[in-house]
Amino acid sequence: MFFKKLFNRDKKDNKKVETIVAEPMHNKTPPQLSVSAPIMAKKNPEKKQSEKKHEKLFSYNEESIYLDEFKHIKTTPKILKMLEDIMEPPKREVANGISVTITFDVSEKNFVKDSIRFSNMTHHQCEMPPFHTYYSKFADMKKEQKNWYFYWREQVLNGHYLPTDLSYIYVFVYELINYSFNQNAAFNLSMLYRLYEAYRGQHHIERFISLIGDMLYELGEYRLAEKWSPNIPSIPPLYKQLKEKHDDLSRISITYWKSYLFSFRESKFYTENKNKIYKTFKECLPLLEASHVKRDNKKLIDLYFEKREDMQQRWLFPGMVSIRGGNNFIQFKIDNIYPTPLLHQEVVAFFKLSENVTRLMNGEKRQLQVDENIFPPELKEEMITFLSRPKEKGRFKTVKTKSKEKQGGLIPPKPEDKPKVVIEFNDDRIRQLKAETDNLVDEVERRAQEHLENEEDTNTPTNEKQEEVGEKPSNEETKPDKEKDGLYKFFTTSGDDADEEQVENFLGELTDIEREFIQHFTDMEWTKAEATQFLKSKGQMLGVLLSSINEKAQESLEDNFLEEDGDTILIFEEFESVVNRIKER
């Protein structure tokens, strides 16, 4: 008796429900599916009656959902065959008089079957239960969640986009991309875009646009697919910067260049003066490009990058609940941008050259070993001359001070003509004053040199980098001439004072929210999602705040302070000391 009961229980659990797939919907209503399950009805009548409550037909104007751009698109026979294969009953095999049925429980296929079975279900108005799950399917829903989904879906089809959890939206998206709710391609494409337009302000659903592209590629609408979701070539960030800022290369942040600094050992001088080296490197980039234009008639972007044609693959519907096979991709040709060997070689050499120039301008005689033959021999002197030019504090100058206008006054009378004053120069007196000035300058330089020599005697370095070359010069050799001494004073005093003043101006312009925003950065970066959430709690918009900070940085620091890079916000590395000061306050 025990084995008989056990056998009967297994037999009951193995009973199948056959489902008939409806024809494509052309009538404005989903297909009415007939379910032949007499055994299920007899064994579980309560469940059948519960489902009948939902099985009323609901109507919606399908053509009103179509977008003009998608009206002409028809579902391909391949997609229709894919649905037919899903709904075919399992094949039976007979061996030695025994009938064997083999089935595979695949969640994606079960979702499509559920979608077809529930395609004409609706529900009366009800409350939305929370629903948060990845790869959301009907099998993940409780009864109350299904009730809300059926009610919400009917409202959406009639143009009423009620607020709902993202997991509910994705269930409908999965029905659209699998053609299980409606087999009409024009409907599925249009409905997917309407979902995107309705809910993109509430949820992060930018992915829906790429899904539209995937559907168009699968349907063979390649030209339209390129418009909606183009296959973007691989372009290095530095290439974009060189293209966007070709008129002022010094505005390119050092962050973009440092990724190409291979085999570069940081010296003690670099650690202590890296911001000065960064400035030398950035400000002298136009000189480097000018030397190449003169010699090769090519700009840096043409020398440092090249275009190659590659064959690539695009996987369709990745990370989605989809019944497609494993090899669901398309192949295409695309022009990608790659760095040339010259980029790595020259950037490292020019960075070392920039450090050597910075050393000279700071009174440091020792130099890094670098193959300067890569560059024209006059480039180093041009860099020194360029950096020693008089510097302007701030990019903007006051041209005219606005004054209050007085109205109703009389026109003043014409002034009387006065005799012109003739200025005469006393050449002898000028020569005398020049001689006295030169003597005074010589005396100041002599005393300054004596002070420097005393400091060098007490602070003789004991450890030298292997990369640095040249012995420490004698007192006679270290005595700078007037030109180099002037460069030294200019670079170490006026430059630092100006930077300090610029930083203070920038910090003074920041609002409390902007300071708090910058303090959240870790290792000079922060994800856009976290930054957006933080600003949302403050009633601020991300784009507006980033623009505000960069405008203030342009005024004070003469460069952008931060930049969006994909899903991340980056603060440029040369402003690391500024960030540290903000965090310390």
Side-chain angles (χ1 to χ4, degrees):
M1 177 64 72
F2 170 76
F3 290 105
K4 183 177 181 182
K5 289 182 178 179
L6 180 63
F7 174 78
N8 290 337
R9 185 184 67 182
D10 292 341
K11 184 177 180 182
K12 179 180 69 175
D13 291 344
N14 285 331
K15 289 171 183 174
K16 303 293 181 180
V17 178
E18 297 180 2
T19 307
I20 301 174
V21 183
E23 294 298 320
M25 293 190 302
H26 300 292
N27 297 334
K28 306 184 178 58
T29 57
Q32 174 68 35
L33 303 183
S34 61
V35 179
S36 174
I39 299 179
M40 179 177 288
K42 183 181 292 186
K43 294 291 183 181
N44 196 356
E46 293 182 1
K47 184 175 181 181
K48 182 66 177 179
Q49 292 177 3
S50 175
E51 289 187 355
K52 278 187 176 182
K53 294 180 181 179
H54 307 290
E55 288 183 358
K56 66 173 185 177
L57 287 176
F58 60 91
S59 62
Y60 64 98
N61 189 344
E62 182 174 331
E63 292 184 359
S64 68
I65 296 175
Y66 292 168
L67 296 178
D68 291 339
E69 206 165 7
F70 300 143
K71 275 185 177 180
H72 67 283
I73 302 177
K74 305 297 181 183
T75 308
T76 62
K78 180 180 178 181
I79 294 175
L80 296 176
K81 180 67 165 58
M82 175 180 69
L83 289 172
E84 290 176 6
D85 293 341
I86 290 293
M87 301 310 301
E88 279 187 0
K91 294 182 178 179
R92 298 175 181 270
E93 296 183 3
V94 179
N96 299 325
I98 300 175
S99 177
V100 180
T101 303
I102 302 175
T103 60
F104 298 92
D105 184 15
V106 181
S107 61
E108 289 82 0
K109 293 182 178 180
N110 288 339
F111 169 80
V112 171
K113 291 179 180 179
D114 288 340
S115 174
I116 294 174
R117 184 159 58 95
F118 296 144
S119 61
N120 60 355
M121 284 192 178
T122 184
H123 196 274
H124 55 74
Q125 184 175 354
C126 57
E127 295 294 328
M128 182 197 73
F131 186 38
H132 305 287
T133 183
Y134 289 105
Y135 307 106
S136 48
K137 299 178 288 295
F138 289 106
D140 302 318
M141 292 182 181
K142 298 178 181 178
K143 178 182 177 181
E144 294 77 11
Q145 292 168 330
K146 287 181 182 178
N147 292 343
W148 164 258
Y149 177 75
F150 297 142
Y151 168 70
W152 167 82
R153 185 177 63 180
E154 181 183 11
Q155 296 300 310
V156 164
L157 291 168
N158 286 281
H160 308 300
Y161 297 92
L162 306 178
T164 190
D165 286 341
L166 183 59
S167 294
Y168 288 114
I169 300 175
Y170 263 103
V171 172
F172 196 20
V173 169
Y174 295 152
E175 289 193 283
L176 297 175
I177 66 174
N178 286 294
Y179 296 82
S180 53
F181 175 77
N182 187 321
Q183 296 181 5
N184 192 332
F187 168 83
N188 292 326
L189 288 164
S190 302
M191 191 69 247
L192 183 53
Y193 179 73
R194 292 187 183 278
L195 287 174
Y196 169 76
E197 280 292 305
Y199 290 105
R200 65 176 180 173
Q202 303 176 32
H203 302 287
H204 296 290
I205 53 176
E206 291 76 14
R207 176 76 181 278
F208 289 7
I209 297 299
S210 66
L211 290 177
I212 292 175
D214 290 347
M215 294 178 73
L216 291 169
Y217 280 117
E218 184 180 46
L219 292 162
E221 297 284 339
Y222 300 113
R223 184 172 298 178
L224 199 54
E226 279 292 326
K227 175 184 174 182
W228 279 85
S229 181
N231 295 307
I232 302 174
S234 174
I235 302 178
L238 179 58
Y239 179 88
K240 296 180 182 178
Q241 291 292 311
L242 288 170
K243 192 171 184 179
E244 293 173 3
K245 301 175 182 176
H246 62 91
D247 56 337
D248 189 1
L249 299 179
S250 63
R251 292 172 52 221
I252 300 176
S253 170
I254 198 68
T255 304
Y256 296 101
W257 295 100
K258 287 195 71 176
S259 58
Y260 299 99
L261 288 177
F262 300 149
S263 305
F264 176 76
R265 251 173 58 185
E266 297 182 358
S267 63
K268 181 180 179 182
F269 181 87
Y270 169 84
T271 304
E272 296 174 351
N273 301 274
K274 62 179 181 180
N275 284 334
K276 293 180 179 179
I277 298 171
Y278 293 163
K279 182 181 292 186
T280 300
F281 179 90
K282 290 172 56 179
E283 292 192 0
C284 292
L285 280 170
L287 298 178
L288 176 62
E289 181 171 76
S291 68
H292 276 298
V293 171
K294 182 179 179 181
R295 183 176 58 183
D296 308 317
N297 197 26
K298 289 185 177 180
K299 293 188 175 184
L300 294 184
I301 192 171
D302 301 318
L303 293 166
Y304 289 169
F305 293 96
E306 61 183 357
K307 187 182 296 185
R308 301 180 202 161
E309 186 181 74
D310 295 329
M311 181 66 73
Q312 290 188 346
Q313 292 179 347
R314 171 173 175 147
W315 292 89
L316 304 181
F317 312 105
M320 297 286 107
V321 175
S322 170
I323 56 174
R324 279 82 176 174
N327 297 324
N328 190 39
F329 61 84
I330 60 169
Q331 290 185 319
F332 58 92
K333 291 182 179 180
I334 195 167
D335 292 330
N336 291 321
I337 305 296
Y338 292 95
T340 63
L342 179 64
L343 171 60
H344 304 284
Q345 176 189 7
E346 192 163 287
V347 167
V348 173
F350 190 66
F351 197 82
K352 291 182 178 179
L353 179 61
S354 299
E355 181 171 341
N356 284 343
V357 170
T358 307
R359 284 168 176 258
L360 288 175
M361 299 186 71
N362 281 269
E364 175 64 64
K365 294 289 185 178
R366 290 169 296 173
Q367 298 279 283
L368 299 181
Q369 189 173 7
V370 53
D371 185 10
E372 296 183 4
N373 294 327
I374 298 176
F375 310 110
E378 66 275 9
L379 179 60
K380 188 173 183 179
E381 290 300 322
E382 289 177 355
M383 293 170 67
I384 295 174
T385 303
F386 178 75
L387 292 171
S388 61
R389 74 197 187 282
K391 300 173 70 176
E392 297 179 2
K393 293 187 178 182
R395 180 174 299 177
F396 305 98
K397 297 181 179 179
T398 302
V399 178
K400 183 179 180 180
T401 304
K402 189 175 182 179
S403 59
K404 295 182 179 179
E405 296 181 356
K406 295 182 179 180
Q407 297 181 355
L410 298 176
I411 300 175
K414 182 179 180 181
E416 298 179 0
D417 294 336
K418 294 182 180 180
K420 295 182 179 180
V421 178
V422 180
I423 300 176
E424 295 182 357
F425 294 95
N426 189 332
D427 294 338
D428 294 335
R429 180 59 177 163
I430 291 173
R431 282 192 292 270
Q432 180 185 354
L433 291 173
K434 183 177 183 302
E436 292 174 358
T437 303
D438 290 343
N439 292 334
L440 181 60
V441 171
D442 291 340
E443 179 63 21
V444 172
E445 290 182 349
R446 184 184 66 79
R447 294 185 183 183
Q449 181 60 32
E450 290 177 357
H451 179 70
L452 288 173
E453 290 174 356
N454 292 335
E455 284 189 348
E456 289 177 356
D457 291 339
T458 57
N459 299 313
T460 304
T462 56
N463 297 325
E464 294 188 6
K465 301 282 183 182
Q466 295 181 356
E467 199 177 28
E468 297 175 350
V469 296
E471 299 295 331
K472 182 176 179 179
S474 63
N475 290 343
E476 290 295 325
E477 293 173 341
T478 56
K479 184 176 181 179
D481 54 32
K482 293 182 180 179
E483 180 184 359
K484 291 183 179 178
D485 190 45
L487 295 175
Y488 167 69
K489 291 178 180 178
F490 173 81
F491 199 84
T492 57
T493 58
S494 65
D496 285 352
D497 291 342
D499 289 345
E500 181 66 23
E501 181 181 346
Q502 290 173 342
V503 171
E504 285 298 328
N505 290 340
F506 175 66
L507 297 179
E509 291 292 327
L510 293 175
T511 65
D512 292 340
I513 292 180
E514 290 170 346
R515 290 172 181 273
E516 188 177 355
F517 178 80
I518 295 172
Q519 289 173 351
H520 279 81
F521 279 72
T522 304
D523 296 330
M524 308 293 281
E525 62 181 45
W526 197 13
T527 64
K528 287 177 66 175
E530 294 175 344
T532 302
Q533 189 65 29
F534 166 77
L535 292 176
K536 189 176 181 180
S537 66
K538 303 289 184 180
Q540 298 283 326
M541 296 181 64
L542 179 63
V544 174
L545 185 126
L546 296 183
S547 298
S548 174
I549 294 176
N550 278 335
E551 286 176 5
K552 295 171 182 177
Q554 287 284 355
E555 287 275 358
S556 303
L557 306 176
E558 303 183 3
D559 201 353
N560 284 339
F561 186 76
L562 39 72
E563 188 172 67
E564 295 181 66
D565 184 15
D567 296 330
T568 307
I569 305 171
L570 301 175
I571 296 179
F572 295 136
E573 188 170 343
E574 49 264 49
F575 299 122
E576 183 177 1
S577 60
V578 180
V579 175
N580 292 335
R581 289 180 60 172
I582 293 175
K583 291 184 176 181
E584 291 170 0
R585 292 193 173 190

